[in-house]
Amino acid sequence: MPHLPDVLLWSVPAFVLLTVVEMVSYRLHPDEDAEGYEAKDAATSVGMGLGSLVFDALWKFPIVAIYATIYELTPLRVPVLWWTLLLMLLAQDFFYYWSHRGHHVIRVLWACHVVHHSSKKFNLTTALRQPWTTWTVWPFYVPMVALGVHPAVIAFTSGANLVYQFWVHTERIDKLPRPFEFVLNTPSHHRVHHASQGGYLDRNFGGILIIWDRMFGSFVAETERPVYGLTKNIETFNPLRVATHEYAAIARDIRAADSWRERAGRVFRGPGWQPAERIAAAQAAKDGPSGNRAPASVEEPAA
């Protein structure tokens, strides 16, 4: 087994220091346009991060067992050298992009990842707002293990990717010089990712590199100021509800579904998916009995 450092553990002091520096910066130089900090929100984010450490330790046992089995079955082996480690970090970032993108467009995966987007603030504590159900992530890295990458290297590169992303959760850093903005995931790019405006939704999935978004058509540059949070925000600071609210919503939708096709759609389609029949029924309810739209003076419910 390769002996690689726990980069996440070693980075904790830097996380704490940088968060304190950012908090102090808002005290000394307030920004009326920035979201800044709010005590309950920050406490919830830190609590979610601490909880994720506990649950990730639990999920690790079955995931490591699966990875180890695949690794033993494949005849391939990738040696751990300085240059192969760089290539494996690049490969992990590629698969992270697809994992991240998948967790935005498949609802049962979104139920895990939505936790990270549930804050209406955007600061360094938002980076700590991690899900407790990361058992949905491991399948995306199976190709690396099957190609002979040791599971310990997967853990190392995933930790390095997560550590890198900590600093991009801030409004205190403006756009960087163009070469950096073109290649790397930056605070500007990640602000777009956390925004809830229509033009910003489901964009900029990159972890370390933004080139994957440029290659696969999911890149959008920051222009207007982002509005953070969800399209339908949850008004709670309860960590348990933050961690599970979308799973509860899926369960409610499954119970209310009229067919097995709709039940499958509620789980495996996108987060905002509605069956055509329900869309047609809702449109008919908005239209009058004559088939015309209701008068403009009648207020319609928000979507």
PDB file of all heavy atoms in Angstrom, residues 237-269:
ATOM      1  N   PHE A 237     -32.017  25.638   9.956  1.00  0.00           N
ATOM      2  CA  PHE A 237     -30.610  25.476  10.307  1.00  0.00           C
ATOM      3  C   PHE A 237     -30.387  24.152  11.027  1.00  0.00           C
ATOM      4  O   PHE A 237     -29.309  23.921  11.579  1.00  0.00           O
ATOM      5  CB  PHE A 237     -30.150  26.638  11.187  1.00  0.00           C
ATOM      6  CG  PHE A 237     -30.203  27.978  10.497  1.00  0.00           C
ATOM      7  CD1 PHE A 237     -31.177  28.906  10.840  1.00  0.00           C
ATOM      8  CD2 PHE A 237     -29.301  28.298   9.500  1.00  0.00           C
ATOM      9  CE1 PHE A 237     -31.228  30.142  10.207  1.00  0.00           C
ATOM     10  CE2 PHE A 237     -29.346  29.532   8.859  1.00  0.00           C
ATOM     11  CZ  PHE A 237     -30.307  30.457   9.210  1.00  0.00           C
ATOM     12  N   ASN A 238     -31.402  23.298  11.017  1.00  0.00           N
ATOM     13  CA  ASN A 238     -31.315  21.987  11.659  1.00  0.00           C
ATOM     14  C   ASN A 238     -30.464  21.065  10.792  1.00  0.00           C
ATOM     15  O   ASN A 238     -30.858  20.732   9.670  1.00  0.00           O
ATOM     16  CB  ASN A 238     -32.720  21.407  11.829  1.00  0.00           C
ATOM     17  CG  ASN A 238     -32.713  20.076  12.549  1.00  0.00           C
ATOM     18  OD1 ASN A 238     -31.805  19.269  12.386  1.00  0.00           O
ATOM     19  ND2 ASN A 238     -33.750  19.834  13.333  1.00  0.00           N
ATOM     20  N   PRO A 239     -29.280  20.627  11.256  1.00  0.00           N
ATOM     21  CA  PRO A 239     -28.402  19.804  10.413  1.00  0.00           C
ATOM     22  C   PRO A 239     -29.060  18.535   9.887  1.00  0.00           C
ATOM     23  O   PRO A 239     -28.819  18.144   8.742  1.00  0.00           O
ATOM     24  CB  PRO A 239     -27.228  19.478  11.345  1.00  0.00           C
ATOM     25  CG  PRO A 239     -27.211  20.588  12.333  1.00  0.00           C
ATOM     26  CD  PRO A 239     -28.660  20.945  12.552  1.00  0.00           C
ATOM     27  N   LEU A 240     -29.893  17.891  10.701  1.00  0.00           N
ATOM     28  CA  LEU A 240     -30.535  16.658  10.257  1.00  0.00           C
ATOM     29  C   LEU A 240     -31.481  16.932   9.085  1.00  0.00           C
ATOM     30  O   LEU A 240     -31.512  16.172   8.105  1.00  0.00           O
ATOM     31  CB  LEU A 240     -31.285  16.013  11.415  1.00  0.00           C
ATOM     32  CG  LEU A 240     -31.916  14.641  11.124  1.00  0.00           C
ATOM     33  CD1 LEU A 240     -30.838  13.642  10.714  1.00  0.00           C
ATOM     34  CD2 LEU A 240     -32.679  14.140  12.346  1.00  0.00           C
ATOM     35  N   ARG A 241     -32.238  18.024   9.158  1.00  0.00           N
ATOM     36  CA  ARG A 241     -33.128  18.372   8.065  1.00  0.00           C
ATOM     37  C   ARG A 241     -32.354  18.809   6.829  1.00  0.00           C
ATOM     38  O   ARG A 241     -32.724  18.496   5.699  1.00  0.00           O
ATOM     39  CB  ARG A 241     -34.104  19.474   8.494  1.00  0.00           C
ATOM     40  CG  ARG A 241     -35.217  18.999   9.428  1.00  0.00           C
ATOM     41  CD  ARG A 241     -36.248  20.083   9.618  1.00  0.00           C
ATOM     42  NE  ARG A 241     -36.858  20.466   8.341  1.00  0.00           N
ATOM     43  CZ  ARG A 241     -37.545  21.587   8.153  1.00  0.00           C
ATOM     44  NH1 ARG A 241     -37.688  22.440   9.151  1.00  0.00           N
ATOM     45  NH2 ARG A 241     -38.075  21.864   6.983  1.00  0.00           N
ATOM     46  N   VAL A 242     -31.268  19.543   7.044  1.00  0.00           N
ATOM     47  CA  VAL A 242     -30.432  19.950   5.913  1.00  0.00           C
ATOM     48  C   VAL A 242     -29.906  18.718   5.189  1.00  0.00           C
ATOM     49  O   VAL A 242     -29.876  18.672   3.954  1.00  0.00           O
ATOM     50  CB  VAL A 242     -29.261  20.835   6.390  1.00  0.00           C
ATOM     51  CG1 VAL A 242     -28.279  21.093   5.251  1.00  0.00           C
ATOM     52  CG2 VAL A 242     -29.781  22.164   6.932  1.00  0.00           C
ATOM     53  N   ALA A 243     -29.509  17.700   5.950  1.00  0.00           N
ATOM     54  CA  ALA A 243     -28.917  16.497   5.367  1.00  0.00           C
ATOM     55  C   ALA A 243     -29.931  15.615   4.652  1.00  0.00           C
ATOM     56  O   ALA A 243     -29.568  14.870   3.732  1.00  0.00           O
ATOM     57  CB  ALA A 243     -28.214  15.693   6.458  1.00  0.00           C
ATOM     58  N   THR A 244     -31.198  15.685   5.048  1.00  0.00           N
ATOM     59  CA  THR A 244     -32.172  14.683   4.566  1.00  0.00           C
ATOM     60  C   THR A 244     -33.378  15.267   3.841  1.00  0.00           C
ATOM     61  O   THR A 244     -34.221  14.502   3.379  1.00  0.00           O
ATOM     62  CB  THR A 244     -32.682  13.847   5.751  1.00  0.00           C
ATOM     63  OG1 THR A 244     -33.358  14.708   6.689  1.00  0.00           O
ATOM     64  CG2 THR A 244     -31.529  13.132   6.459  1.00  0.00           C
ATOM     65  N   HIS A 245     -33.486  16.592   3.720  1.00  0.00           N
ATOM     66  CA  HIS A 245     -34.743  17.163   3.241  1.00  0.00           C
ATOM     67  C   HIS A 245     -35.115  16.715   1.822  1.00  0.00           C
ATOM     68  O   HIS A 245     -36.290  16.500   1.521  1.00  0.00           O
ATOM     69  CB  HIS A 245     -34.691  18.696   3.303  1.00  0.00           C
ATOM     70  CG  HIS A 245     -33.831  19.326   2.271  1.00  0.00           C
ATOM     71  ND1 HIS A 245     -32.478  19.519   2.434  1.00  0.00           N
ATOM     72  CD2 HIS A 245     -34.132  19.824   1.043  1.00  0.00           C
ATOM     73  CE1 HIS A 245     -31.979  20.106   1.365  1.00  0.00           C
ATOM     74  NE2 HIS A 245     -32.954  20.295   0.506  1.00  0.00           N
ATOM     75  N   GLU A 246     -34.129  16.531   0.948  1.00  0.00           N
ATOM     76  CA  GLU A 246     -34.462  16.134  -0.423  1.00  0.00           C
ATOM     77  C   GLU A 246     -34.854  14.661  -0.491  1.00  0.00           C
ATOM     78  O   GLU A 246     -35.719  14.282  -1.284  1.00  0.00           O
ATOM     79  CB  GLU A 246     -33.298  16.420  -1.366  1.00  0.00           C
ATOM     80  CG  GLU A 246     -33.594  16.160  -2.828  1.00  0.00           C
ATOM     81  CD  GLU A 246     -34.689  17.040  -3.418  1.00  0.00           C
ATOM     82  OE1 GLU A 246     -35.049  18.061  -2.782  1.00  0.00           O
ATOM     83  OE2 GLU A 246     -35.176  16.724  -4.521  1.00  0.00           O
ATOM     84  N   TYR A 247     -34.270  13.820   0.357  1.00  0.00           N
ATOM     85  CA  TYR A 247     -34.706  12.427   0.424  1.00  0.00           C
ATOM     86  C   TYR A 247     -36.164  12.359   0.878  1.00  0.00           C
ATOM     87  O   TYR A 247     -36.955  11.557   0.351  1.00  0.00           O
ATOM     88  CB  TYR A 247     -33.829  11.633   1.397  1.00  0.00           C
ATOM     89  CG  TYR A 247     -32.415  11.424   0.914  1.00  0.00           C
ATOM     90  CD1 TYR A 247     -31.360  12.132   1.490  1.00  0.00           C
ATOM     91  CD2 TYR A 247     -32.122  10.540  -0.115  1.00  0.00           C
ATOM     92  CE1 TYR A 247     -30.059  11.947   1.059  1.00  0.00           C
ATOM     93  CE2 TYR A 247     -30.820  10.348  -0.556  1.00  0.00           C
ATOM     94  CZ  TYR A 247     -29.793  11.059   0.032  1.00  0.00           C
ATOM     95  OH  TYR A 247     -28.505  10.886  -0.405  1.00  0.00           O
ATOM     96  N   ALA A 248     -36.522  13.210   1.842  1.00  0.00           N
ATOM     97  CA  ALA A 248     -37.916  13.246   2.308  1.00  0.00           C
ATOM     98  C   ALA A 248     -38.842  13.711   1.189  1.00  0.00           C
ATOM     99  O   ALA A 248     -39.954  13.181   1.029  1.00  0.00           O
ATOM    100  CB  ALA A 248     -38.035  14.164   3.520  1.00  0.00           C
ATOM    101  N   ALA A 249     -38.393  14.690   0.398  1.00  0.00           N
ATOM    102  CA  ALA A 249     -39.214  15.184  -0.715  1.00  0.00           C
ATOM    103  C   ALA A 249     -39.394  14.100  -1.772  1.00  0.00           C
ATOM    104  O   ALA A 249     -40.485  13.955  -2.340  1.00  0.00           O
ATOM    105  CB  ALA A 249     -38.563  16.422  -1.319  1.00  0.00           C
ATOM    106  N   ILE A 250     -38.336  13.328  -2.035  1.00  0.00           N
ATOM    107  CA  ILE A 250     -38.454  12.219  -2.992  1.00  0.00           C
ATOM    108  C   ILE A 250     -39.468  11.198  -2.491  1.00  0.00           C
ATOM    109  O   ILE A 250     -40.312  10.703  -3.255  1.00  0.00           O
ATOM    110  CB  ILE A 250     -37.084  11.556  -3.212  1.00  0.00           C
ATOM    111  CG1 ILE A 250     -36.145  12.502  -3.960  1.00  0.00           C
ATOM    112  CG2 ILE A 250     -37.237  10.247  -3.991  1.00  0.00           C
ATOM    113  CD1 ILE A 250     -34.726  11.977  -4.124  1.00  0.00           C
ATOM    114  N   ALA A 251     -39.409  10.865  -1.216  1.00  0.00           N
ATOM    115  CA  ALA A 251     -40.348   9.896  -0.641  1.00  0.00           C
ATOM    116  C   ALA A 251     -41.785  10.390  -0.784  1.00  0.00           C
ATOM    117  O   ALA A 251     -42.693   9.616  -1.123  1.00  0.00           O
ATOM    118  CB  ALA A 251     -40.006   9.640   0.825  1.00  0.00           C
ATOM    119  N   ARG A 252     -42.019  11.692  -0.536  1.00  0.00           N
ATOM    120  CA  ARG A 252     -43.374  12.238  -0.687  1.00  0.00           C
ATOM    121  C   ARG A 252     -43.842  12.144  -2.135  1.00  0.00           C
ATOM    122  O   ARG A 252     -44.998  11.794  -2.409  1.00  0.00           O
ATOM    123  CB  ARG A 252     -43.411  13.691  -0.210  1.00  0.00           C
ATOM    124  CG  ARG A 252     -43.291  13.863   1.288  1.00  0.00           C
ATOM    125  CD  ARG A 252     -43.660  15.275   1.719  1.00  0.00           C
ATOM    126  NE  ARG A 252     -42.750  16.273   1.136  1.00  0.00           N
ATOM    127  CZ  ARG A 252     -41.639  16.705   1.728  1.00  0.00           C
ATOM    128  NH1 ARG A 252     -41.271  16.196   2.912  1.00  0.00           N
ATOM    129  NH2 ARG A 252     -40.884  17.624   1.166  1.00  0.00           N
ATOM    130  N   ASP A 253     -42.954  12.465  -3.066  1.00  0.00           N
ATOM    131  CA  ASP A 253     -43.333  12.415  -4.480  1.00  0.00           C
ATOM    132  C   ASP A 253     -43.598  10.989  -4.948  1.00  0.00           C
ATOM    133  O   ASP A 253     -44.482  10.759  -5.781  1.00  0.00           O
ATOM    134  CB  ASP A 253     -42.222  13.038  -5.338  1.00  0.00           C
ATOM    135  CG  ASP A 253     -42.183  14.551  -5.215  1.00  0.00           C
ATOM    136  OD1 ASP A 253     -43.183  15.128  -4.746  1.00  0.00           O
ATOM    137  OD2 ASP A 253     -41.151  15.151  -5.584  1.00  0.00           O
ATOM    138  N   ILE A 254     -42.849  10.030  -4.422  1.00  0.00           N
ATOM    139  CA  ILE A 254     -43.088   8.630  -4.778  1.00  0.00           C
ATOM    140  C   ILE A 254     -44.452   8.176  -4.278  1.00  0.00           C
ATOM    141  O   ILE A 254     -45.202   7.492  -4.984  1.00  0.00           O
ATOM    142  CB  ILE A 254     -41.967   7.736  -4.222  1.00  0.00           C
ATOM    143  CG1 ILE A 254     -40.652   7.989  -4.977  1.00  0.00           C
ATOM    144  CG2 ILE A 254     -42.350   6.257  -4.302  1.00  0.00           C
ATOM    145  CD1 ILE A 254     -39.468   7.254  -4.405  1.00  0.00           C
ATOM    146  N   ARG A 255     -44.783   8.569  -3.046  1.00  0.00           N
ATOM    147  CA  ARG A 255     -46.095   8.186  -2.487  1.00  0.00           C
ATOM    148  C   ARG A 255     -47.240   8.793  -3.294  1.00  0.00           C
ATOM    149  O   ARG A 255     -48.298   8.175  -3.449  1.00  0.00           O
ATOM    150  CB  ARG A 255     -46.197   8.623  -1.024  1.00  0.00           C
ATOM    151  CG  ARG A 255     -45.399   7.762  -0.062  1.00  0.00           C
ATOM    152  CD  ARG A 255     -45.855   7.982   1.378  1.00  0.00           C
ATOM    153  NE  ARG A 255     -45.683   9.369   1.788  1.00  0.00           N
ATOM    154  CZ  ARG A 255     -44.591   9.853   2.384  1.00  0.00           C
ATOM    155  NH1 ARG A 255     -43.562   9.051   2.603  1.00  0.00           N
ATOM    156  NH2 ARG A 255     -44.522  11.121   2.736  1.00  0.00           N
ATOM    157  N   ALA A 256     -47.043   9.995  -3.802  1.00  0.00           N
ATOM    158  CA  ALA A 256     -48.112  10.682  -4.544  1.00  0.00           C
ATOM    159  C   ALA A 256     -48.150  10.318  -6.021  1.00  0.00           C
ATOM    160  O   ALA A 256     -49.065  10.736  -6.732  1.00  0.00           O
ATOM    161  CB  ALA A 256     -47.944  12.196  -4.397  1.00  0.00           C
ATOM    162  N   ALA A 257     -47.174   9.529  -6.494  1.00  0.00           N
ATOM    163  CA  ALA A 257     -47.084   9.205  -7.916  1.00  0.00           C
ATOM    164  C   ALA A 257     -48.239   8.300  -8.353  1.00  0.00           C
ATOM    165  O   ALA A 257     -48.749   7.496  -7.574  1.00  0.00           O
ATOM    166  CB  ALA A 257     -45.744   8.548  -8.216  1.00  0.00           C
ATOM    167  N   ASP A 258     -48.612   8.441  -9.614  1.00  0.00           N
ATOM    168  CA  ASP A 258     -49.735   7.673 -10.164  1.00  0.00           C
ATOM    169  C   ASP A 258     -49.306   6.400 -10.879  1.00  0.00           C
ATOM    170  O   ASP A 258     -50.151   5.578 -11.224  1.00  0.00           O
ATOM    171  CB  ASP A 258     -50.526   8.546 -11.153  1.00  0.00           C
ATOM    172  CG  ASP A 258     -51.165   9.751 -10.472  1.00  0.00           C
ATOM    173  OD1 ASP A 258     -51.568   9.610  -9.303  1.00  0.00           O
ATOM    174  OD2 ASP A 258     -51.249  10.817 -11.112  1.00  0.00           O
ATOM    175  N   SER A 259     -48.019   6.237 -11.152  1.00  0.00           N
ATOM    176  CA  SER A 259     -47.556   5.063 -11.894  1.00  0.00           C
ATOM    177  C   SER A 259     -46.114   4.763 -11.516  1.00  0.00           C
ATOM    178  O   SER A 259     -45.417   5.607 -10.936  1.00  0.00           O
ATOM    179  CB  SER A 259     -47.644   5.326 -13.404  1.00  0.00           C
ATOM    180  OG  SER A 259     -46.736   6.357 -13.780  1.00  0.00           O
ATOM    181  N   TRP A 260     -45.680   3.553 -11.884  1.00  0.00           N
ATOM    182  CA  TRP A 260     -44.285   3.189 -11.631  1.00  0.00           C
ATOM    183  C   TRP A 260     -43.339   4.012 -12.503  1.00  0.00           C
ATOM    184  O   TRP A 260     -42.211   4.300 -12.112  1.00  0.00           O
ATOM    185  CB  TRP A 260     -44.079   1.692 -11.884  1.00  0.00           C
ATOM    186  CG  TRP A 260     -44.608   0.866 -10.754  1.00  0.00           C
ATOM    187  CD1 TRP A 260     -45.746   0.114 -10.743  1.00  0.00           C
ATOM    188  CD2 TRP A 260     -44.027   0.741  -9.451  1.00  0.00           C
ATOM    189  NE1 TRP A 260     -45.912  -0.472  -9.516  1.00  0.00           N
ATOM    190  CE2 TRP A 260     -44.870  -0.110  -8.703  1.00  0.00           C
ATOM    191  CE3 TRP A 260     -42.885   1.265  -8.839  1.00  0.00           C
ATOM    192  CZ2 TRP A 260     -44.600  -0.445  -7.388  1.00  0.00           C
ATOM    193  CZ3 TRP A 260     -42.610   0.926  -7.528  1.00  0.00           C
ATOM    194  CH2 TRP A 260     -43.461   0.076  -6.813  1.00  0.00           C
ATOM    195  N   ARG A 261     -43.806   4.399 -13.684  1.00  0.00           N
ATOM    196  CA  ARG A 261     -42.989   5.251 -14.547  1.00  0.00           C
ATOM    197  C   ARG A 261     -42.724   6.584 -13.874  1.00  0.00           C
ATOM    198  O   ARG A 261     -41.595   7.107 -13.892  1.00  0.00           O
ATOM    199  CB  ARG A 261     -43.692   5.463 -15.887  1.00  0.00           C
ATOM    200  CG  ARG A 261     -42.966   6.405 -16.828  1.00  0.00           C
ATOM    201  CD  ARG A 261     -43.749   6.576 -18.126  1.00  0.00           C
ATOM    202  NE  ARG A 261     -43.155   7.614 -18.952  1.00  0.00           N
ATOM    203  CZ  ARG A 261     -43.387   8.911 -18.813  1.00  0.00           C
ATOM    204  NH1 ARG A 261     -44.213   9.340 -17.859  1.00  0.00           N
ATOM    205  NH2 ARG A 261     -42.811   9.794 -19.620  1.00  0.00           N
ATOM    206  N   GLU A 262     -43.763   7.147 -13.255  1.00  0.00           N
ATOM    207  CA  GLU A 262     -43.577   8.415 -12.562  1.00  0.00           C
ATOM    208  C   GLU A 262     -42.680   8.239 -11.342  1.00  0.00           C
ATOM    209  O   GLU A 262     -41.833   9.086 -11.061  1.00  0.00           O
ATOM    210  CB  GLU A 262     -44.922   9.002 -12.138  1.00  0.00           C
ATOM    211  CG  GLU A 262     -44.769  10.350 -11.436  1.00  0.00           C
ATOM    212  CD  GLU A 262     -46.096  10.953 -10.996  1.00  0.00           C
ATOM    213  OE1 GLU A 262     -47.158  10.458 -11.426  1.00  0.00           O
ATOM    214  OE2 GLU A 262     -46.051  11.907 -10.186  1.00  0.00           O
ATOM    215  N   ARG A 263     -42.846   7.130 -10.636  1.00  0.00           N
ATOM    216  CA  ARG A 263     -41.997   6.887  -9.465  1.00  0.00           C
ATOM    217  C   ARG A 263     -40.526   6.825  -9.867  1.00  0.00           C
ATOM    218  O   ARG A 263     -39.657   7.397  -9.189  1.00  0.00           O
ATOM    219  CB  ARG A 263     -42.414   5.592  -8.772  1.00  0.00           C
ATOM    220  CG  ARG A 263     -43.796   5.657  -8.120  1.00  0.00           C
ATOM    221  CD  ARG A 263     -44.128   4.386  -7.353  1.00  0.00           C
ATOM    222  NE  ARG A 263     -45.473   4.454  -6.809  1.00  0.00           N
ATOM    223  CZ  ARG A 263     -46.562   3.936  -7.380  1.00  0.00           C
ATOM    224  NH1 ARG A 263     -46.437   3.282  -8.539  1.00  0.00           N
ATOM    225  NH2 ARG A 263     -47.746   4.060  -6.830  1.00  0.00           N
ATOM    226  N   ALA A 264     -40.239   6.123 -10.971  1.00  0.00           N
ATOM    227  CA  ALA A 264     -38.849   6.053 -11.448  1.00  0.00           C
ATOM    228  C   ALA A 264     -38.341   7.433 -11.840  1.00  0.00           C
ATOM    229  O   ALA A 264     -37.194   7.795 -11.557  1.00  0.00           O
ATOM    230  CB  ALA A 264     -38.761   5.093 -12.637  1.00  0.00           C
ATOM    231  N   GLY A 265     -39.200   8.219 -12.487  1.00  0.00           N
ATOM    232  CA  GLY A 265     -38.810   9.566 -12.883  1.00  0.00           C
ATOM    233  C   GLY A 265     -38.509  10.451 -11.690  1.00  0.00           C
ATOM    234  O   GLY A 265     -37.584  11.278 -11.735  1.00  0.00           O
ATOM    235  N   ARG A 266     -39.267  10.296 -10.625  1.00  0.00           N
ATOM    236  CA  ARG A 266     -39.043  11.101  -9.419  1.00  0.00           C
ATOM    237  C   ARG A 266     -37.691  10.800  -8.771  1.00  0.00           C
ATOM    238  O   ARG A 266     -37.151  11.627  -8.040  1.00  0.00           O
ATOM    239  CB  ARG A 266     -40.157  10.835  -8.405  1.00  0.00           C
ATOM    240  CG  ARG A 266     -41.543  11.252  -8.845  1.00  0.00           C
ATOM    241  CD  ARG A 266     -41.653  12.747  -8.997  1.00  0.00           C
ATOM    242  NE  ARG A 266     -43.039  13.167  -9.199  1.00  0.00           N
ATOM    243  CZ  ARG A 266     -43.414  14.427  -9.395  1.00  0.00           C
ATOM    244  NH1 ARG A 266     -42.496  15.385  -9.414  1.00  0.00           N
ATOM    245  NH2 ARG A 266     -44.677  14.735  -9.573  1.00  0.00           N
ATOM    246  N   VAL A 267     -37.155   9.615  -9.051  1.00  0.00           N
ATOM    247  CA  VAL A 267     -35.879   9.215  -8.452  1.00  0.00           C
ATOM    248  C   VAL A 267     -34.711   9.488  -9.393  1.00  0.00           C
ATOM    249  O   VAL A 267     -33.689  10.032  -8.980  1.00  0.00           O
ATOM    250  CB  VAL A 267     -35.907   7.720  -8.065  1.00  0.00           C
ATOM    251  CG1 VAL A 267     -34.540   7.271  -7.548  1.00  0.00           C
ATOM    252  CG2 VAL A 267     -36.983   7.457  -7.026  1.00  0.00           C
ATOM    253  N   PHE A 268     -34.874   9.134 -10.675  1.00  0.00           N
ATOM    254  CA  PHE A 268     -33.730   9.113 -11.581  1.00  0.00           C
ATOM    255  C   PHE A 268     -33.713  10.246 -12.609  1.00  0.00           C
ATOM    256  O   PHE A 268     -32.710  10.421 -13.297  1.00  0.00           O
ATOM    257  CB  PHE A 268     -33.672   7.771 -12.316  1.00  0.00           C
ATOM    258  CG  PHE A 268     -33.490   6.603 -11.391  1.00  0.00           C
ATOM    259  CD1 PHE A 268     -34.527   5.707 -11.166  1.00  0.00           C
ATOM    260  CD2 PHE A 268     -32.296   6.414 -10.713  1.00  0.00           C
ATOM    261  CE1 PHE A 268     -34.369   4.633 -10.313  1.00  0.00           C
ATOM    262  CE2 PHE A 268     -32.124   5.343  -9.850  1.00  0.00           C
ATOM    263  CZ  PHE A 268     -33.165   4.458  -9.647  1.00  0.00           C
ATOM    264  N   ARG A 269     -34.799  11.010 -12.738  1.00  0.00           N
ATOM    265  CA  ARG A 269     -34.771  12.176 -13.619  1.00  0.00           C
ATOM    266  C   ARG A 269     -34.153  13.361 -12.872  1.00  0.00           C
ATOM    267  O   ARG A 269     -33.667  13.228 -11.759  1.00  0.00           O
ATOM    268  CB  ARG A 269     -36.200  12.511 -14.069  1.00  0.00           C
ATOM    269  CG  ARG A 269     -36.867  11.444 -14.910  1.00  0.00           C
ATOM    270  CD  ARG A 269     -36.396  11.487 -16.346  1.00  0.00           C
ATOM    271  NE  ARG A 269     -37.222  10.658 -17.206  1.00  0.00           N
ATOM    272  CZ  ARG A 269     -37.776  11.050 -18.341  1.00  0.00           C
ATOM    273  NH1 ARG A 269     -37.588  12.285 -18.776  1.00  0.00           N
ATOM    274  NH2 ARG A 269     -38.512  10.220 -19.058  1.00  0.00           N
TER     275      ARG A 269
END
